[in-house]
Amino acid sequence: MTILTAQAVLEGIRETTAYGGAPMFWDQAMAEMPAGPLPFLEPADVPARRAAAGLPAERDVLLTGIAAVIDADPALRSLAWYLHWRVFVAPQHGAPWGAPSLLPRLGEQAGLFYLLLSLEFVPRLTIWHRHLGYPGTVTRQTLQQIASFEGNHLRGRGRPGIYESQFVWLATYLVDPYVRLGRFEYQLHTYGGGVSVWKRAADGQVLALAEEGTRVAADGLRLGDQAPATEGWTAWLKETPSALSGFPVDPVGRILDKPVHLDRSVWMPCFSKGATVLDLHIPAGGSMDWEAMTDSFRQALAFFQQHHADRPFAALVVNTWFMDPRLADILPAESNPLRFQRAVYLYPVPPQPDSLWFVFLGNTREPAALRRDTSLQRRLATFLENGGTWHGGGMFVLPGDMHHLCDGHYRNRFNALIDSGNLRPITVS
C-alpha cells in the first residue's frame, strides 16, 4: 500500500483544488493545528454526533476504527486537520476547492475518513443556527444531509462513507442561510444568471427572455463555450426607456428564435443576474411527490419571510440534471420529475455532462462503463452511448406562485400569450 507522506498530502491538495492559493491555506491551517489530540477524532463523541446525523448505531465501530487509523498516521492527521479547518473553521461560499481521493491510501476505508470528519457538522451547524435564531427542528432536518450523502456513497460504492466532493459542500451550510424544510433544501444567495424575467402588471403574466449574448442551438437549447462559432445563433436583448426586445424562453426549456417586443409601461422587471434568489436543492433519498413538494414550498415561504425578511428573494430557482427538457423523451409523462417540470418555468443552461454524476454516482465520460441498475440509468446510458450530451437545465418559480402551482402553470399562460407555432416577431401588449 502506498505510504502517504506529508509532502504527498500537500501535492495532492495542489492537484485536486480548483481554488488558487492552496499552499497559503495549508500553512495557515497547519499553524493552528493543535499539538495534542485532534478534538474531532475523540471516540467518545462519535455516538451522539452519529445519531444526530441520522446514521445507524452500526457505524460507531467503523468510525472509531478509522479515527484510530488517522491518529496513528502523521500524514493523515495533517490532512484531516487541514480538511477540518477548510470546511468548519474557515468555510467558504460554494466550497470553491477540492478534496483528494484517499482510495489509493485507505481503500475501502476512504469514504469513512470523510464520514468521520463530517460529524463535526453537527456541533458547528447547531451553533450557526442558534446564532441565526433558527428553531431546533430546522437544524435537525438540515443535519440529515449527512445521511443523504452517505446514501449516495452506499449506492455508488456499496459501503458506508461520504464522497470527498460532497464532504467539502458542508462548508456552504455555514456561510449562507441554507436549510432543509421538509423534502427540499433552500439556500439564499445571489442569482448567477441565465434569463431575465418580466411580469405584466395587469394580470401577472410572466415571460423570461434570454440574456444578451446567449448562444443557442437550432433546437433552442444552449450551446457550450467550445461550440464552433458557425454553429447556432446568438440572442440579443435591447432595452430603451419605453421598450424591451429579446428572445422569449418557452417554459418547456427552449429559447425561441423570433424576438418579442415588450412595452415597458406594461411589463415590469422581476429578476435577472445579481438578484437575491432562493436556490432549491433536492437531497437524495426521498420521493418527489406533489404533496411533499408543495408542503416544502409553503414551509420555505414562511421560514424565509420570518427569519430573513431583510433579504426578500425574487424567485425560487434550481439548476440540476433533471430540468433538461429532453427528460420528457426518457421518462413516462406521469413521473414525478416530469410533473415537477411542467409546474415550473424551465430555461436552458449550457451543457453540463457531469451533472449526471448524481444519477450514476461516478464518472460519466465513459458511457459503456456506466451502471445500468435502474431503467433511468439504462435510458440515460443509451442516450450518452449514442453520442448525446446532457445539458441539465434551470427553472424558476416566483414567490407569489409557490402556493398554487399546478401542472402546466406557466406553460398554459405562455401558449396563450405567444403563438409558438407561428414564431414571427410580435409585440406583446
Side-chain angles (χ1 to χ4, degrees), residues 12 16 26 53 82 104 145 169 173 276 286 296 304 306 317 342 397 399:
T16 58
W26 176 271
Y82 173 81
Q145 185 60 13
W169 188 249
Y173 294 81
T276 298
S296 183
F304 284 93
Q306 176 183 353
V317 303
R342 294 193 299 268
V397 176

Side-chain angles (χ1 to χ4, degrees), residues 321-362:
W321 70 269
F322 70 80
M323 292 301 166
D324 192 311
R326 295 169 299 177
L327 195 66
D329 299 328
I330 293 175
L331 293 181
E334 66 275 11
S335 66
N336 284 328
L338 290 185
R339 192 179 182 192
F340 193 153
Q341 279 196 0
R342 294 193 299 268
V344 301
Y345 201 123
L346 299 186
Y347 62 88
V349 299
Q352 298 176 339
D354 290 338
S355 67
L356 290 180
W357 182 93
F358 293 97
V359 177
F360 297 102
L361 297 171

Side-chain angles (χ1 to χ4, degrees), residues 66-377:
I66 191 63
V69 171
I70 296 169
D71 201 38
D73 186 318
L76 286 178
R77 288 181 83 255
S78 295
L79 177 60
W81 172 258
Y82 173 81
L83 295 168
H84 165 90
W85 187 90
R86 290 297 303 271
V87 171
F88 299 118
V89 179
Q92 293 175 282
H93 171 78
W97 55 284
S101 170
L102 293 177
L103 287 170
R105 171 62 179 84
L106 293 174
E108 293 188 355
Q109 290 185 303
L112 288 173
F113 176 97
Y114 286 106
L115 183 58
L116 175 66
L117 265 60
S118 76
L119 296 186
E120 181 71 15
F121 187 54
V122 173
R124 299 282 177 164
L125 185 74
T126 300
I127 292 170
W128 176 235
H129 279 192
R130 285 174 182 166
H131 169 73
L132 295 173
Y134 295 171
T137 53
V138 172
T139 304
R140 289 190 287 275
Q141 288 185 75
T142 308
L143 287 173
Q144 301 310 298
Q145 185 60 13
I146 296 177
S148 179
F149 282 168
E150 197 211 31
N152 287 335
H153 198 274
L154 285 169
R155 289 187 296 119
R157 290 181 178 167
R159 62 185 75 94
I162 282 182
Y163 286 100
E164 57 275 5
S165 60
Q166 298 203 298
F167 166 72
V168 300
W169 188 249
L170 294 175
T172 62
Y173 294 81
L174 304 172
V175 179
D176 286 332
Y178 192 169
V179 296
R180 181 163 184 170
L181 301 166
R183 177 64 186 90
F184 300 135
E185 293 183 323
Y186 302 89
Q187 182 183 17
L188 194 63
H189 70 152
T190 301
Y191 181 55
V195 292
S196 65
V197 178
W198 300 77
K199 178 184 281 190
R200 190 163 56 189
D203 60 0
Q205 172 70 56
V206 176
L207 184 63
L209 300 178
E211 291 181 331
E212 173 74 26
T214 299
R215 297 189 60 204
V216 188
D219 60 2
L221 298 180
R222 288 185 59 174
L223 293 169
D225 293 338
Q226 305 305 315
T230 56
E231 186 176 350
W233 55 279
T234 302
W236 43 259
L237 187 64
K238 299 177 181 179
E239 283 191 64
T240 69
S242 61
L244 174 74
S245 299
F247 292 86
V249 179
D250 191 313
V252 301
R254 299 178 188 271
I255 301 170
L256 305 184
D257 63 357
K258 296 294 188 294
V260 294
H261 311 292
L262 308 183
D263 183 341
R264 289 291 301 274
S265 68
V266 174
W267 290 84
M268 306 297 147
C270 281
F271 74 95
S272 58
K273 185 175 182 179
T276 298
V277 294
L278 200 58
D279 201 344
L280 177 72
H281 294 259
I282 305 169
S287 66
M288 286 283 293
D289 65 89
W290 191 262
E291 289 72 23
M293 179 182 76
T294 54
D295 176 67
S296 183
F297 284 4
R298 286 192 293 269
Q299 290 186 52
L301 274 173
F303 177 86
F304 284 93
Q305 287 172 355
Q306 176 183 353
H307 293 281
H308 296 286
D310 60 326
R311 295 180 64 187
F313 61 92
L316 175 73
V317 303
V318 70
N319 183 336
T320 188
W321 70 269
F322 70 80
M323 292 301 166
D324 192 311
R326 295 169 299 177
L327 195 66
D329 299 328
I330 293 175
L331 293 181
E334 66 275 11
S335 66
N336 284 328
L338 290 185
R339 192 179 182 192
F340 193 153
Q341 279 196 0
R342 294 193 299 268
V344 301
Y345 201 123
L346 299 186
Y347 62 88
V349 299
Q352 298 176 339
D354 290 338
S355 67
L356 290 180
W357 182 93
F358 293 97
V359 177
F360 297 102
L361 297 171
N363 180 13
T364 59
R365 301 301 175 105
E366 299 177 8
L370 293 175
R371 64 180 68 218
R372 289 168 166 77
D373 301 330
T374 68
S375 60
L376 175 62
Q377 288 175 339

